Amino acid sequence: MSTGLETTGLTKSFGGVRAVDGATVAFRHGKVNALIGPNGSGKTTFFNCVTGMIKPDSGTASYHGRDITGRPPHRIARAGIGRSFQLCRIFPRMTALENLLVPVRSRTLLGRLVSARQRADLDRARELLTRVGIEHLADVQARDLSYGQQKLLELAGVLMADPETVLLDEPAGGVNPALIERIRELVRALNAEGRTFLIVEHNMDLVMSLSDHVVVFDRGRPIAAGTPDEVRNDPRVLEAYLGI
C-alpha cells in the first residue's frame, strides 16, 4: 500500500509538555485515514506541524517522499495538501461565494480585472457550493450561516485549491446529524474520485464507518494503527480511552 503523508520522529513541545512525542506514522494514499485519540493526545498539534502552521522541534514530515518539514503553509498547500480547522476559518462579513473567491483572486496582480481565469474561478466556486449543498446560500454572509453550514463552506474552500490530500480537523464537531450524514457522503464521494483524506474526529460512528485506516494517538505518539475493526479491539486503545 502506497503512502503519501509520513512522519518520522516528529516532536513538538510547549514548555515542558510534549504535545507530539517522536511520532513516526504513515497514512495510506488514496484512502480515508483517521487520526483518533483522547483529548490532549496531540492530534491537532500533529496537524499543525505537518501543514506548516507551527514548526516541529525535531523529526521530519514528508509527502510522496519529499521533505516538507517546516515549510510555510502556502508551499505545503501547493504541494497538494489542504486542511480545515477545528474552529472554522472563514470571512464572516463576506458572502459564501466571496469566501471561495478570495484565495484564488490573490494569486494575480490583475485581481480586480474580469478575466477568463476569474470567470472559471467563479464557475468553480458555484459548482463547489452546489457540491456541498449550500448553493442556495451563495449570497448570504458567512456569519449568518449555521455552524454546520460554515463547516461545509470551509470544506468547499479547501476543495477550491483542488488538493490531492485533504486533512479535516473535527468536521462533525458541533454539527447536527443531517449535516454529519452530508459530510459522510461527501467524503465517500470525493475519496472515490481519488482524493486522500486524513480526519481527526471524536465521533466514533463517523470514523468507523468511513475509514480504511485508523491511527490512534495517546500522549503525543501513535499507539496503534490498522483497520477500524483491528483498532476497535486493540487492548492499547481500550486502555487509552477507557483505562481498562
Side-chain angles (χ1 to χ4, degrees), residues 47-128:
F47 260 31
N48 289 337
C49 285
V50 300
T51 59
M53 302 301 296
I54 58 177
K55 187 174 181 179
D57 299 326
S58 60
T60 60
S62 64
Y63 188 57
H64 292 311
R66 297 181 61 184
D67 190 353
I68 59 171
T69 313
R71 289 188 180 183
H74 69 275
R75 291 190 62 188
I76 292 175
R78 288 176 185 170
I81 299 175
R83 72 163 293 182
S84 70
F85 291 84
Q86 190 172 341
L87 298 176
C88 289
R89 294 197 176 187
I90 57 174
F91 298 98
R93 295 181 181 275
M94 291 186 176
T95 67
L97 183 61
E98 289 169 342
N99 264 267
L100 301 194
L101 294 173
V102 168
V104 293
R105 284 184 176 176
S106 65
R107 293 176 185 170
T108 172
L109 293 175
L110 300 177
R112 294 183 178 274
L113 300 179
V114 175
S115 65
R117 173 59 182 271
Q118 286 185 326
R119 287 192 292 271
D121 288 338
L122 180 60
D123 289 343
R124 177 164 174 75
R126 292 191 182 279
E127 175 188 332
L128 287 171

Side-chain angles (χ1 to χ4, degrees), residues 11-200:
T11 299
K12 180 63 183 180
S13 297
F14 298 99
V17 178
R18 282 198 173 187
V20 179
D21 187 8
T24 297
V25 62
F27 299 100
R28 303 295 189 258
H29 183 60
K31 302 295 183 179
V32 178
N33 301 267
L35 177 59
I36 66 173
N39 286 329
S41 59
K43 305 181 296 296
T44 293
T45 301
F46 179 85
F47 260 31
N48 289 337
C49 285
V50 300
T51 59
M53 302 301 296
I54 58 177
K55 187 174 181 179
D57 299 326
S58 60
T60 60
S62 64
Y63 188 57
H64 292 311
R66 297 181 61 184
D67 190 353
I68 59 171
T69 313
R71 289 188 180 183
H74 69 275
R75 291 190 62 188
I76 292 175
R78 288 176 185 170
I81 299 175
R83 72 163 293 182
S84 70
F85 291 84
Q86 190 172 341
L87 298 176
C88 289
R89 294 197 176 187
I90 57 174
F91 298 98
R93 295 181 181 275
M94 291 186 176
T95 67
L97 183 61
E98 289 169 342
N99 264 267
L100 301 194
L101 294 173
V102 168
V104 293
R105 284 184 176 176
S106 65
R107 293 176 185 170
T108 172
L109 293 175
L110 300 177
R112 294 183 178 274
L113 300 179
V114 175
S115 65
R117 173 59 182 271
Q118 286 185 326
R119 287 192 292 271
D121 288 338
L122 180 60
D123 289 343
R124 177 164 174 75
R126 292 191 182 279
E127 175 188 332
L128 287 171
L129 289 177
T130 299
R131 185 74 188 269
V132 302
I134 57 171
E135 69 279 4
H136 59 296
L137 302 171
D139 297 322
V140 176
Q141 286 192 339
R143 63 180 178 176
D144 293 328
L145 303 179
S146 73
Y147 189 65
Q149 290 166 342
Q150 290 177 3
K151 288 266 190 178
L152 292 172
L153 176 61
E154 186 181 35
L155 175 56
V158 172
L159 296 174
M160 194 72 185
D162 198 23
E164 178 187 49
T165 297
V166 179
L167 280 60
L168 301 179
D169 196 350
E170 296 195 26
V175 177
N176 69 51
L179 286 181
I180 289 175
E181 185 57 34
R182 179 62 180 154
I183 291 169
R184 192 196 318 264
E185 293 172 356
L186 279 167
V187 171
R188 282 177 175 158
L190 291 163
N191 176 245
E193 294 167 12
R195 294 189 202 275
T196 300
F197 281 85
L198 172 54
I199 303 172
V200 164

